[in-house]
């Protein structure tokens, strides 16, 4: 079983719909992150959480919201999806400490028509 | 400002050696990561450098020069499966001990290994 699980893996939806992407982890890490990846733009941080009561905006949080339901669960919502939110979305986790790498889920490919 | 530069694309031959460079200009530094990402897949951790010098791990080695703001990833005995994107990421200093701030990511270097 994957240590960091994202659902769904693929989603096609229409403009204006509300979408939730879910992430769960069995690594016991406190820190969780949501990124989007677009060709030519690399990985961009949307939101991150260092523990259950901590939520922080990343560089591109407009149009997104998150919920940290438990240490193991971190969900990303698009309240009203728009086509330029079409991207590959990754959830990642890490343990505390500057030398600790981030561990990524397999990604969700989201297409908004 | 915060900036990381990597070449966009590189090509190499199976069995050869390739060096992928990364230069960074960041307000503080607390370590540098290299990740590998195959097309459509998740990034996976390769190496971490915080001190100057070379870290060797099998066919892959990573080098860091903090004074020059420079790192490279060295891949030896290239295999076709090494065709992937290689991402460099820098950790800025944290505000307290053990506080791992969000990473600053480069755009990645797409490596194509040809037979």
């Amino acid at each position: 079983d994957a240590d960091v699980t994202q659902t769904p893996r693929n989603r096609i939806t229409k403009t204006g719909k509300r979408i939730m992407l879910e992430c769960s982890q069995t690594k016991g890490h406190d820190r969780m992150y949501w990124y989007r990846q677009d060709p030519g733009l690399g990985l961009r941080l949307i939101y991150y959480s260092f523990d259950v009561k901590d939520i922080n905006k990343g560089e591109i949080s407009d149009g997104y919201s998150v919920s940290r339901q438990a240490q193991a669960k971190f969900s990303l919502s698009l309240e009203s999806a728009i086509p330029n939110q079409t991207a590959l979305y990754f959830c990642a986790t890490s343990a505390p400490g500057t030398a600790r790498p981030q561990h990524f889920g397999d990604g969700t490919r989201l297409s908004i028509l | 400002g915060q900036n990381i530069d990597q070449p966009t694309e590189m090509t190499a031959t199976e069995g050869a050696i390739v060096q992928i460079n990364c230069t960074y200009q960041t307000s503080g530094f607390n370590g540098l990561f290299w990740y590998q990402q195959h097309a459509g897949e998740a990034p996976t951790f390769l190496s971490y450098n915080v001190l100057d010098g070379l870290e060797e791990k099998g066919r892959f080695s990573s080098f860091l020069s903090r004074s020059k703001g420079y790192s490279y990833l060295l891949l030896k005995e290239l295999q076709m499966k090494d065709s992937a994107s290689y991402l460099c990421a820098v950790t800025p200093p944290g505000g307290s001990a053990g506080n791992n701030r969000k990473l600053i990511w480069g755009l990645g270097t797409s490596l194509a290994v040809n037979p």
Side-chain angles (χ1 to χ4, degrees), chain A residues 58-94:
Chain A
E59 56 187 303
I60 53 161
S61 58
D62 287 350
Y64 301 93
S65 63
V66 290
S67 173
R68 184 81 184 266
Q69 300 96 321
Q71 187 209 34
K73 295 184 182 296
F74 192 36
S75 60
L76 176 72
S77 294
L78 289 69
E79 296 299 327
S80 180
I82 55 177
N84 75 2
Q85 292 176 312
T86 293
L88 182 56
Y89 289 83
F90 287 107
C91 173
T93 74
S94 72

Coordinates of all heavy atoms in Angstrom, one line a residue, chain A residues 58-94:
Chain A
G58 N 0.1 28.9 0.6 CA 1.3 28.9 -0.2 C 1.4 30.0 -1.2 O 0.7 31.0 -1.0
E59 N 2.1 29.8 -2.3 CA 2.2 30.9 -3.2 C 1.0 31.1 -4.1 O 0.9 32.2 -4.7 CB 3.5 30.7 -4.1 CG 3.5 29.4 -4.8 CD 4.9 29.1 -5.5 OE1 5.3 29.9 -6.3 OE2 5.5 28.0 -5.1
I60 N 0.1 30.1 -4.2 CA -1.0 30.2 -5.2 C -2.3 29.7 -4.5 O -3.0 28.9 -5.1 CB -0.7 29.5 -6.5 CG1 -0.3 28.0 -6.3 CG2 0.3 30.2 -7.3 CD1 -0.5 27.2 -7.5
S61 N -2.7 30.3 -3.4 CA -3.8 29.8 -2.7 C -5.2 30.3 -3.2 O -6.2 29.7 -2.8 CB -3.7 30.1 -1.2 OG -3.6 31.5 -1.0
D62 N -5.2 31.3 -3.9 CA -6.5 31.9 -4.4 C -7.3 30.9 -5.2 O -6.8 30.2 -6.1 CB -6.3 33.1 -5.3 CG -5.8 34.3 -4.5 OD1 -5.9 34.3 -3.2 OD2 -5.4 35.3 -5.1
G63 N -8.6 30.7 -4.8 CA -9.4 29.8 -5.5 C -9.4 28.4 -4.9 O -10.2 27.5 -5.4
Y64 N -8.6 28.2 -3.8 CA -8.5 26.9 -3.2 C -8.7 27.1 -1.7 O -8.5 28.1 -1.1 CB -7.1 26.3 -3.3 CG -6.7 26.1 -4.8 CD1 -5.9 27.1 -5.5 CD2 -7.0 24.9 -5.4 CE1 -5.5 26.9 -6.8 CE2 -6.5 24.7 -6.7 CZ -5.8 25.7 -7.4 OH -5.4 25.5 -8.7
S65 N -9.2 26.0 -1.0 CA -9.2 25.9 0.4 C -8.8 24.5 0.8 O -8.8 23.6 0.0 CB -10.6 26.3 0.9 OG -11.6 25.3 0.5
V66 N -8.5 24.4 2.1 CA -8.0 23.1 2.6 C -8.7 22.8 4.0 O -9.1 23.7 4.6 CB -6.5 23.0 2.8 CG1 -5.8 23.0 1.4 CG2 -6.0 24.1 3.6
S67 N -8.6 21.5 4.3 CA -9.1 21.1 5.6 C -8.1 20.0 6.1 O -7.8 19.1 5.4 CB -10.5 20.6 5.5 OG -10.9 20.0 6.8
R68 N -7.7 20.2 7.4 CA -6.8 19.1 8.0 C -7.7 18.4 9.0 O -7.8 18.8 10.2 CB -5.6 19.8 8.6 CG -4.6 18.8 9.2 CD -3.7 18.2 8.1 NE -2.8 17.1 8.6 CZ -1.6 17.4 9.0 NH1 -1.1 18.6 9.0 NH2 -0.8 16.4 9.5
Q69 N -8.3 17.3 8.6 CA -9.3 16.7 9.4 C -8.6 15.9 10.5 O -9.3 15.6 11.6 CB -10.1 15.7 8.6 CG -10.9 16.4 7.4 CD -10.2 16.3 6.1 OE1 -8.9 16.4 6.1 NE2 -10.9 16.1 5.0
A70 N -7.4 15.4 10.3 CA -6.7 14.6 11.3 C -5.2 14.7 10.9 O -4.9 15.2 9.8 CB -7.2 13.2 11.3
Q71 N -4.4 14.1 11.7 CA -2.9 14.1 11.4 C -2.7 13.5 10.0 O -1.9 13.9 9.2 CB -2.1 13.4 12.4 CG -0.6 13.5 12.2 CD 0.2 12.3 12.7 OE1 -0.3 11.2 12.7 NE2 1.4 12.6 13.2
A72 N -3.5 12.4 9.7 CA -3.3 11.6 8.5 C -4.1 12.1 7.3 O -3.9 11.6 6.2 CB -3.7 10.2 8.8
K73 N -4.9 13.1 7.4 CA -5.8 13.5 6.3 C -5.7 15.0 6.1 O -5.9 15.8 7.0 CB -7.2 13.1 6.6 CG -7.4 11.6 6.7 CD -8.9 11.2 6.9 CE -9.1 9.8 7.0 NZ -8.7 9.0 5.8
F74 N -5.6 15.3 4.8 CA -5.5 16.7 4.4 C -6.2 16.9 3.0 O -5.7 16.3 2.0 CB -4.0 17.1 4.3 CG -3.7 18.6 4.1 CD1 -4.4 19.6 4.8 CD2 -2.6 19.0 3.4 CE1 -4.1 20.9 4.7 CE2 -2.2 20.4 3.2 CZ -3.0 21.3 3.9
S75 N -7.3 17.6 3.0 CA -8.0 17.7 1.7 C -8.0 19.1 1.1 O -7.9 20.1 1.8 CB -9.5 17.2 1.9 OG -10.1 18.1 2.9
L76 N -8.0 19.1 -0.2 CA -8.0 20.3 -1.0 C -9.3 20.5 -1.7 O -9.8 19.6 -2.3 CB -6.8 20.3 -2.0 CG -6.7 21.4 -2.9 CD1 -6.2 22.7 -2.2 CD2 -5.7 21.1 -4.1
S77 N -9.9 21.7 -1.6 CA -11.1 22.0 -2.3 C -11.0 23.1 -3.3 O -10.3 24.1 -3.0 CB -12.2 22.3 -1.3 OG -12.5 21.2 -0.4
L78 N -11.7 22.9 -4.4 CA -11.9 24.0 -5.4 C -13.3 24.3 -5.3 O -14.2 23.5 -5.7 CB -11.5 23.5 -6.8 CG -10.0 23.3 -7.1 CD1 -9.5 22.1 -6.4 CD2 -9.8 23.2 -8.6
E79 N -13.7 25.5 -4.7 CA -15.1 25.8 -4.5 C -15.9 26.0 -5.7 O -17.0 25.6 -5.8 CB -15.2 27.1 -3.6 CG -14.6 26.9 -2.2 CD -15.3 25.8 -1.4 OE1 -16.5 25.7 -1.6 OE2 -14.6 25.2 -0.6
S80 N -15.3 26.6 -6.7 CA -15.9 26.8 -8.0 C -14.9 26.7 -9.1 O -14.1 27.7 -9.4 CB -16.6 28.2 -8.1 OG -17.2 28.4 -9.3
A81 N -14.7 25.5 -9.6 CA -13.6 25.2 -10.5 C -13.6 26.1 -11.8 O -14.7 26.4 -12.4 CB -13.6 23.8 -10.9
I82 N -12.4 26.5 -12.2 CA -12.3 27.2 -13.5 C -11.2 26.5 -14.3 O -10.4 25.8 -13.8 CB -11.9 28.7 -13.3 CG1 -10.6 28.8 -12.4 CG2 -13.0 29.4 -12.6 CD1 -10.1 30.2 -12.2
P83 N -11.3 26.6 -15.7 CA -10.4 25.9 -16.6 C -8.9 26.1 -16.2 O -8.1 25.1 -16.4 CB -10.7 26.4 -17.9 CG -12.2 26.8 -17.8 CD -12.3 27.3 -16.5
N84 N -8.5 27.2 -15.8 CA -7.0 27.4 -15.5 C -6.6 26.7 -14.2 O -5.4 26.7 -13.9 CB -6.6 28.8 -15.6 CG -6.9 29.6 -14.4 OD1 -7.5 29.1 -13.4 ND2 -6.6 30.9 -14.4
Q85 N -7.5 25.9 -13.6 CA -7.1 25.1 -12.5 C -6.8 23.7 -13.0 O -6.6 22.8 -12.2 CB -8.1 25.1 -11.4 CG -8.2 26.5 -10.7 CD -9.3 26.5 -9.6 OE1 -10.4 26.1 -9.9 NE2 -9.0 27.0 -8.4
T86 N -6.9 23.5 -14.2 CA -6.5 22.2 -14.8 C -5.1 22.0 -14.6 O -4.2 22.8 -15.0 CB -6.9 22.2 -16.3 OG1 -8.3 22.2 -16.5 CG2 -6.3 20.9 -17.0
A87 N -4.7 20.9 -14.0 CA -3.3 20.6 -13.6 C -3.1 19.3 -13.0 O -4.1 18.5 -12.8 CB -2.8 21.7 -12.6
L88 N -1.9 18.9 -12.7 CA -1.6 17.7 -11.9 C -1.4 18.2 -10.5 O -0.5 19.0 -10.2 CB -0.3 17.0 -12.5 CG 0.1 15.7 -11.9 CD1 -0.9 14.7 -11.9 CD2 1.4 15.3 -12.6
Y89 N -2.1 17.6 -9.5 CA -2.0 18.0 -8.1 C -1.4 16.9 -7.3 O -1.7 15.7 -7.4 CB -3.5 18.3 -7.6 CG -4.1 19.5 -8.1 CD1 -4.7 19.5 -9.4 CD2 -4.0 20.7 -7.4 CE1 -5.3 20.6 -9.9 CE2 -4.6 21.9 -7.9 CZ -5.2 21.8 -9.2 OH -5.8 23.0 -9.7
F90 N -0.4 17.3 -6.5 CA 0.3 16.4 -5.6 C 0.1 16.8 -4.1 O 0.1 18.0 -3.8 CB 1.8 16.4 -5.9 CG 2.2 15.7 -7.2 CD1 2.6 16.5 -8.3 CD2 2.1 14.4 -7.3 CE1 2.9 15.9 -9.4 CE2 2.5 13.7 -8.4 CZ 2.9 14.5 -9.5
C91 N -0.1 15.8 -3.3 CA 0.0 15.9 -1.9 C 1.3 15.4 -1.4 O 1.8 14.4 -2.0 CB -1.2 15.1 -1.3 SG -1.1 15.0 0.5
A92 N 1.9 16.0 -0.4 CA 3.2 15.5 0.1 C 3.2 15.6 1.6 O 2.4 16.3 2.2 CB 4.3 16.3 -0.5
T93 N 4.0 14.8 2.2 CA 4.2 14.8 3.7 C 5.7 14.9 4.1 O 6.5 14.5 3.2 CB 3.6 13.6 4.3 OG1 4.4 12.4 4.1 CG2 2.2 13.3 3.8
S94 N 6.0 15.3 5.2 CA 7.3 15.3 5.7 C 7.3 15.3 7.3 O 6.4 15.7 7.9 CB 8.2 16.5 5.2 OG 7.8 17.7 5.9

